[in-house]
Amino acid sequence: MSERTKLRVAIVGAGIASLTAAIALKDRLRAKRHYKTNEIVSADRHNGHVEDRHLTSRYYRAHLQRALLEHVDSAQLHLGRSFLSVNFDDSIQRLIIHFRNGSSAQADLLLGSDGIHSHIRRQFVLSSGTKWTGWVTFHSVFPFSHVSHILDLPDEAAHFWGPDRTLFMSRLGENLFTFVGSYQSDPDVPGAPYKDSEWDSDGDVNVQKEYYKDWSHMIRAVVDVIPEWNRLVGVGNGRVTLASDAAHAHGGAFAAGGSLAIDDAWAFAESILHVFPRDATGLPSGRDIDRALRLYERTRKPHTDRVLSTVHAGNRAKIANIGKPETDAELRARMPSRSDPAWIHEHDLQTTLKKALQGGLGWTQIEQCDN
């Protein structure tokens, strides 16, 4: 394929969605446990037959990014550039992407997957931004050897529920272990703890020891050996579209952020390849590119809209319950009565794409996908 017939796709971002999109365009069970007794009160299960390779699994994002990088040509990576603006040049029928270091690049298409504070989204949706939901998470990843001696440590990924906070723990690859403690504050209360915190800032281990001092002996033993914490605070043009947190920042959705990013990337690539197959002998027209991006939106937006509405409804319910006492019986009743997450963990993207191609899914303007 000559240079004149190569479709140039610029991807701004270096996360899971960005790397997955670059590759695509290139040629288990989780238990809900009681916070004091450690007993399993409820468990997520697959509703239908799911192939082994599609079962839910935990991973460390740095490991996944490293694995993805092995399949991306290093010559295609341009690090150290921060997006400034993009405009369409009618004279050459291409996008001109400008970066803060004074450099620029040309492309036929731009995929913005530059995170929750996406500069690309803000150029096209001036009113877009982030808002603190009140949900605060303390996250730590450390060698499994720190906790290997602790009795009754769950073998599977476990989510512990208490009356006003939760925690999650799981083994990761390469002999790592993760511990995630979370609680809900009222975002509208002046002076709420961590209201002005920044994402990924350092946390205080002693705060977590206080938060979980009344929980089970096993949980307290894990908290005691955690070395450090990071604090995570939940917060168009016809040729430009968005993916992952840049398109649908949610601040936490059933631990599915990574799979949502991968699904976005795959759907974007398949939509492009639908109008510009690998054996194409000429570039797609502007109409073809617009058709591809609308196909991408029809494929992903109904699902990501449901993700956002579900997360936002959950946040509102948590805020409404702040300060309300809950008995142990009420907690036990709440755990198994939660909504079934199969719709997100077993989402069939390939079937959804086929329906979008057949016109079975509606669509709205891409500019509405910002939050």
Side-chain angles (χ1 to χ4, degrees), residues 1 23-27 270 273 276-280:
M1 184 180 290
I23 294 170
L25 286 170
K26 176 191 173 185
D27 230 284
E270 287 298 307
L273 293 172
F276 186 65
R278 300 185 190 280
D279 58 354

Side-chain angles (χ1 to χ4, degrees), residues 132-138 159-160 162-168 180-187 191-195 197 207-208 211-212 215 231-234 315 318-319 322:
W132 186 45
T133 63
W135 186 246
V136 179
T137 296
F138 293 83
H159 195 189
F160 295 79
D164 61 349
R165 61 201 57 182
T166 66
L167 67 83
F168 174 87
V180 184
S182 306
Y183 80 98
Q184 181 72 51
S185 290
D186 188 338
Y194 307 113
K195 186 170 187 175
S197 295
V207 171
Q208 297 308 295
Y211 278 0
Y212 296 105
W215 288 42
R231 188 164 60 240
L232 311 178
V233 185
N315 288 340
K318 291 172 186 173
I319 293 170
I322 291 177

Side-chain angles (χ1 to χ4, degrees), residues 3 14 24 105 126-127 131 148-149:
E3 285 297 321
L126 298 179
S127 61
K131 179 182 179 181
S148 59
H149 65 284

Side-chain angles (χ1 to χ4, degrees), residues 28-33 40 42-46 54-58 155-159 168-170 338 345:
R28 269 164 229 274
L29 173 68
R30 187 168 72 166
K32 312 294 182 183
R33 292 177 177 258
I40 296 177
S42 178
D44 294 340
R45 301 184 184 279
H46 294 288
H54 292 152
L55 292 175
T56 300
S57 62
R58 297 293 299 175
D155 292 328
E156 79 287 349
H159 195 189
F168 174 87
M169 65 174 68
S170 172
R338 71 195 187 286
H345 292 312

